[in-house]
Amino acid sequence: MDPYKNIPSSAFDSPFWTTNSGAPVWNNNSSLTVGSRGPVLLEDYHLVEKLANFDRERIPERVVHARGASAKGFFEVTHDISHLTCADFLRGPGVQTPVIVRFSTVIHERGSPETLRDPRGFAVKFYTREGNLDLVGNNFPVFFVRDGLKFPDMVHALKPNPKSHIQEDWRILDFFSHHPESLHMFSFLFDDVGIPQDYRHMDGFGVNTYTLVNKDGKVLYVKFHWKTMSGEKCLLEEEAIRVGGSNHSHATKDLYDSIDAGNYPEWKLYIQTMDPAREHTFDFDPLDVTKTWPEDVLPLQPVGRMVLNKNIDNFFAENEQLAFCPAIVVPGIYYSNDKLLQTRIFSYADTQRHRLGPNYLQLPVNAPKNAHHNNHHDGYMNFMIRDEEVNYFPSRYDPVRHAQRFPIPSEILNGKREKVIIEKENNFKQPGERYRSWASDRQERFIRRWVNALSDPRVTHEIRTIWISYWSQADGSLGQKIASHVTMKPSI
């Protein structure tokens, strides 16, 4: 028998990781960066191949955030921050910008109930005079992993078992037992806020660290926070079962009915800013997406308000075809060296081109509302008729010119190529502080959820021990309480 005939590559059972072409992968945990904290390099072929394959796994449903609902409205500046950024849509109080927002569940399929315990997506597209801005975030301020190289693995672990198509705790606990930085995210997901009452009653966060750049080139790190004016509310397990049993689209219906009745949901936008010169003074890395910034040191600054006052006209055109990408920014707002953000810049646009085609930004819901011009043309689903003969630049027949220069971060990058974990992990402090801030009944519910997860019969003694160790390092009493309720016998 020919050993190379009709055998999938995975059947060779290599004892180590390889690329699709069979090249060995010596580090499948960290992206290749300039220095230990520098930007991610596009030459990291393993990273690009891994993300590109992951982005093309499903057609046409979104790989994540498949279940969602959208609404339209406006953003209005209420506080002057023009000294912090040269972004035109933030130029002064009273300025209004049209927006469309998509709320979603993250892991579960398009037809899944909206009452499942799951992070919620909170994505806002601003149609500004200088092009679109996509602020893509979640209802929690942190994330499970800090390096985008781990994102496909993370989603695979959270998704249903590929053999049975059932989401199972043992798979989730196995994967994240290797990533103690996930504890902070689990302190949100297993908390009461893990099931929002609906989309109107939840906060939103940009999650990643961006930069603000003012007209003089001054750079500040920034985090974005959306605070609901409806009040943050959640569903406990019994309520979720009751609500989900009667309507698996309850959050979509609530959003639509509220706007239809003139009860327009509203959020206030706040920012936290940090001078990059201060980043080394903290006991954590400010660009680590598994961490929050202390509000007593870096207070929330009000910026504006967002009101959703119009329902979408067509669910497919303005929800299913609505596409976001964190790479879509405007002058005055730029990226940071946040490793997760750096990989999202590539991955989101790549998955949209796969899901909707290379011309997805021509779709009305995704297209900018201001005048725009470039030489991208043809390709699948192109519907822009260009009555022109010059499709190159420069040309003496086409008077189009470069735009006026605007500032971007200009720090000098210096370092060797490295695949490393950040130095200041500090994985346990913030989850412990969050747990201790709760009332006793809220703590008990959190413990019960963890006991239930760790009681999965396929969770091994080793994995249970690791998780109890993690939570003990976050808070000694928390670890003890979980251990006292979990059977520590080896699983069969």
Side-chain angles (χ1 to χ4, degrees), residues 121-344:
F122 194 119
V124 183
K125 187 182 294 290
F126 299 79
Y127 299 104
T128 88
R129 300 193 308 183
E130 293 184 315
N132 293 351
L133 166 67
D134 287 357
L135 186 56
V136 189
N138 291 326
N139 67 320
F140 303 149
V142 293
F143 201 62
F144 291 104
V145 292
R146 57 170 71 97
D147 193 316
L149 186 72
K150 302 307 300 177
F151 189 78
D153 298 298
M154 180 204 77
V155 174
H156 288 169
L158 290 166
K159 286 281 190 180
N161 186 322
K163 183 175 181 178
S164 64
H165 200 66
I166 298 171
Q167 188 183 40
E168 295 170 321
D169 286 337
W170 68 269
R171 288 166 36 83
I172 298 171
L173 296 177
D174 174 33
F175 172 75
F176 287 109
S177 71
H178 299 275
H179 299 282
E181 70 267 27
S182 66
L183 255 65
H184 203 184
M185 183 67 165
F186 278 115
S187 75
F188 287 89
L189 183 60
F190 276 49
D191 181 24
D192 293 347
V193 297
I195 309 178
Q197 177 175 297
D198 48 59
Y199 296 132
R200 291 186 300 124
H201 292 91
M202 70 180 194
D203 292 338
F205 303 88
V207 181
N208 292 111
T209 300
Y210 285 82
T211 55
L212 297 180
V213 190
N214 69 11
K215 62 182 179 180
D216 299 319
K218 171 68 176 176
V219 175
L220 293 173
Y221 290 148
V222 63
K223 280 186 176 289
F224 297 96
H225 302 252
W226 296 104
K227 300 294 184 183
T228 176
M229 294 297 98
S230 301
E232 191 176 29
K233 298 180 182 179
C234 56
L235 298 174
L236 300 183
E237 282 78 355
E238 297 77 10
E239 297 171 299
I241 293 172
R242 175 180 56 80
V243 171
S246 60
N247 183 2
H248 81 294
S249 299
H250 83 284
T252 297
K253 185 177 188 301
D254 173 83
L255 180 66
Y256 189 94
D257 289 350
S258 296
I259 295 174
D260 196 47
N263 181 23
Y264 303 140
E266 180 176 338
W267 286 261
K268 294 289 179 65
L269 177 64
Y270 296 85
I271 58 172
Q272 285 178 289
T273 60
M274 179 192 299
D275 189 330
R278 292 188 59 195
E279 63 178 317
H280 301 296
T281 65
F282 295 89
D283 61 2
F284 63 93
D285 190 324
L287 302 186
D288 180 355
V289 78
T290 68
K291 305 294 186 291
T292 56
W293 293 355
E295 294 182 12
D296 57 338
V297 179
L298 303 167
L300 296 179
Q301 305 173 55
V303 177
R305 68 186 188 112
M306 179 174 69
V307 179
L308 300 182
N309 58 4
K310 188 178 189 306
N311 280 310
I312 57 177
D313 299 306
N314 180 272
F315 186 82
F316 181 79
E318 295 181 301
N319 184 78
E320 294 305 290
Q321 291 193 141
L322 177 58
F324 294 90
C325 175
I328 296 179
V329 294
V330 294
I333 299 177
Y334 202 69
Y335 323 117
S336 75
N337 290 340
D338 174 341
K339 287 187 178 184
L340 189 71
L341 175 60
Q342 289 273 319
T343 49
R344 291 177 81 202

Side-chain angles (χ1 to χ4, degrees), residues 335-388:
Y335 323 117
S336 75
N337 290 340
D338 174 341
K339 287 187 178 184
L340 189 71
L341 175 60
Q342 289 273 319
T343 49
R344 291 177 81 202
I345 289 169
F346 161 76
S347 184
Y348 275 63
D350 186 55
T351 197
Q352 304 298 6
R353 294 185 189 103
H354 164 64
R355 192 172 66 88
L356 298 171
N359 291 301
Y360 77 97
L361 289 177
Q362 290 184 16
L363 294 167
V365 71
N366 299 321
K369 307 307 178 189
N370 60 307
H372 54 286
H373 179 95
N374 58 54
N375 291 323
H376 308 328
H377 66 103
D378 296 347
Y380 298 123
M381 300 301 292
N382 174 72
F383 57 89
M384 182 182 293
I385 299 174
R386 303 178 69 132
D387 184 15
E388 60 190 16

Side-chain angles (χ1 to χ4, degrees), residues 111-128:
S112 59
E114 292 177 309
T115 49
L116 298 178
R117 185 170 298 277
D118 197 8
R120 266 50 173 183
F122 194 119
V124 183
K125 187 182 294 290
F126 299 79
Y127 299 104
T128 88

